[in-house]
């Protein structure tokens, strides 16, 4: 039952906005597919409700983590410019090495 009403961290208000359409007895993907066929505008509203809080959380995390030395920020553009260099950066970060070869504070998650 919990899996049916799951909406990836959406707000309480969004959860009700989404699942009231099926009397709280459906999953978000099936509901979205059914609704978008009937009304693309309503489908967009559901999609917005599903991702709004998720995007807000991501932006909040990015702001909070922007000055943390144990967080690696890589953009898609960096991979497009030089994928080899971006992957080397990622693997060095995971291995705990700084660009100059010095050890980093980062520790792998447990």
């Amino acid at each position: 039952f919990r899996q049916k009403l799951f909406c990836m961290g959406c707000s309480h208000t969004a959860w009700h906005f989404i699942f009231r359409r099926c009397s709280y007895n459906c999953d978000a993907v099936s509901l979205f597919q059914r609704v978008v066929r009937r009304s693309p505008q309503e489908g967009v509203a559901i999609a917005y409700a599903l991702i709004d809080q998720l995007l807000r959380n991501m932006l909040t995390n990015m702001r909070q983590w922007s000055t943390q030395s144990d967080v690696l920020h890589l953009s898609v553009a960096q991979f497009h410019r030089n994928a080899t260099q971006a992957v080397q950066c990622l693997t060095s970060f995971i291995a705990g090495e700084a660009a100059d070869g010095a050890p980093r504070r980062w520790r792998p998650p447990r």
Side-chain angles (χ1 to χ4, degrees):
F1 183 72
R2 294 182 99 211
Q3 191 63 18
K4 276 189 170 184
L5 301 175
F6 178 70
C7 68
M8 296 187 339
C10 63
S11 69
H12 185 73
T13 303
W15 186 86
H16 283 286
F17 174 79
I18 294 164
F19 293 112
R20 71 173 186 222
R21 287 167 173 72
C22 64
S23 301
Y24 304 93
N25 189 26
C26 64
D27 65 273
V29 173
S30 298
L31 174 66
F32 176 75
Q33 291 170 342
R34 195 169 51 247
V35 167
V36 81
R37 277 188 232 113
R38 186 179 66 231
S39 167
Q41 293 84 1
E42 191 175 353
V44 168
I46 290 174
Y48 175 81
L50 284 167
I51 64 170
D52 176 57
Q53 190 62 47
L54 185 64
L55 291 174
R56 289 175 191 271
N57 292 346
M58 287 180 189
L59 291 171
T60 297
N61 289 340
M62 285 179 62
R63 275 193 299 274
Q64 290 175 344
W65 296 341
S66 66
T67 59
Q68 300 295 318
S69 65
D70 56 349
V71 175
L72 177 65
H73 298 275
L74 284 174
S75 68
V76 173
Q78 289 171 292
F79 279 93
H80 283 293
R81 269 194 308 275
N82 189 331
T84 302
Q85 187 177 22
V87 171
Q88 285 173 340
C89 180
L90 177 62
T91 56
S92 293
F93 182 80
I94 291 171
E97 300 167 358
D100 61 4
R104 296 183 58 90
R105 289 182 342 173
W106 181 83
R107 300 285 184 269
R110 296 172 194 214

